[in-house]
Amino acid sequence: MALCNDVKSFSRRHEHIADFFSLLAVGVLFASIWASLEYYAVVMRWVTAHLLLHGALLIAGLLGTVALILALLAVGSARFGEDNERCFGTFQGRRSGGSPISALRNWLLHIENVGKRHR
């Protein structure tokens, strides 16, 4: 919880740095799209050489890129919200056991509510 409060207070004090993190996230997104289009043939030849190993490395790299983009966006958007708002919350689908479909439905409702609060 302390890390979340530290990031939130830092991004509120230095809004220009938080804006830079958001801009950096967009830059990483477009750079990854450009790199995937530019080097598609080279990467596909590399993956087909050792499909299991190189495929796993490619998927790990893609997941790492997505995690980086989401982390940069989280730091950039941490300045919004109220002071008394909890940093980490859970949605109803995780607390109430139930089927995976109901958990997905509860998660979607949770994401809609989060989006409404930050508009």
Side-chain angles (χ1 to χ4, degrees), residues 92-100 102-103 106:
Q92 183 183 0
R94 299 237 351 219
R95 289 188 301 257
S96 64
S99 71
S102 66
N106 290 333

XYZ file of all heavy atoms in Angstrom, residues 92-100 102-103 106:
81
model
N -15.846 -7.905 -7.102
C -16.701 -8.889 -6.465
C -16.424 -10.308 -6.952
O -16.547 -11.259 -6.186
C -18.159 -8.523 -6.718
C -19.138 -9.444 -6.025
C -20.569 -9.083 -6.352
O -20.815 -8.146 -7.102
N -21.496 -9.807 -5.810
N -16.027 -10.477 -8.175
C -15.787 -11.810 -8.723
C -14.677 -12.555 -8.011
O -14.657 -13.770 -7.970
N -13.734 -11.845 -7.425
C -12.651 -12.507 -6.706
C -13.072 -12.897 -5.303
O -12.532 -13.816 -4.723
C -11.434 -11.574 -6.621
C -10.921 -11.211 -7.966
C -9.520 -11.512 -8.245
N -8.685 -11.951 -7.175
C -7.449 -11.584 -7.019
N -6.930 -10.717 -7.825
N -6.704 -12.072 -6.075
N -14.002 -12.147 -4.727
C -14.418 -12.444 -3.363
C -15.468 -13.533 -3.321
O -15.482 -14.359 -2.415
C -14.962 -11.184 -2.699
C -13.894 -10.171 -2.403
C -14.465 -9.055 -1.571
N -15.577 -8.404 -2.247
C -15.517 -7.247 -2.859
N -14.384 -6.602 -2.890
N -16.565 -6.726 -3.424
N -16.388 -13.501 -4.261
C -17.447 -14.501 -4.251
C -17.106 -15.588 -5.239
O -16.931 -15.317 -6.398
C -18.783 -13.864 -4.624
O -18.750 -13.369 -5.933
N -16.953 -16.751 -4.833
C -16.588 -17.890 -5.642
C -17.449 -18.081 -6.871
O -17.666 -17.451 -7.432
N -18.126 -18.665 -7.395
C -18.955 -18.557 -8.578
C -18.241 -19.031 -9.818
O -17.088 -19.426 -9.796
N -18.949 -18.969 -10.897
C -18.406 -19.472 -12.156
C -17.464 -18.445 -12.780
O -17.518 -17.269 -12.453
C -19.560 -19.783 -13.116
O -20.148 -18.580 -13.558
N -16.627 -18.896 -13.698
C -15.733 -17.955 -14.389
C -16.502 -16.906 -15.197
O -16.045 -15.778 -15.333
C -14.902 -18.841 -15.306
C -14.964 -20.195 -14.697
C -16.304 -20.279 -14.021
N -19.449 -15.528 -14.381
C -19.923 -14.485 -13.467
C -18.743 -13.631 -12.977
O -18.897 -12.435 -12.756
C -20.683 -15.083 -12.288
O -19.837 -15.850 -11.473
N -17.590 -14.244 -12.799
C -16.406 -13.469 -12.408
C -16.027 -12.482 -13.510
O -15.677 -11.337 -13.234
C -15.243 -14.396 -12.095
N -18.571 -9.647 -13.424
C -18.293 -8.755 -12.301
C -17.059 -7.900 -12.567
O -17.016 -6.728 -12.201
C -18.106 -9.554 -11.012
C -19.395 -10.149 -10.536
O -20.475 -9.640 -10.806
N -19.306 -11.265 -9.837
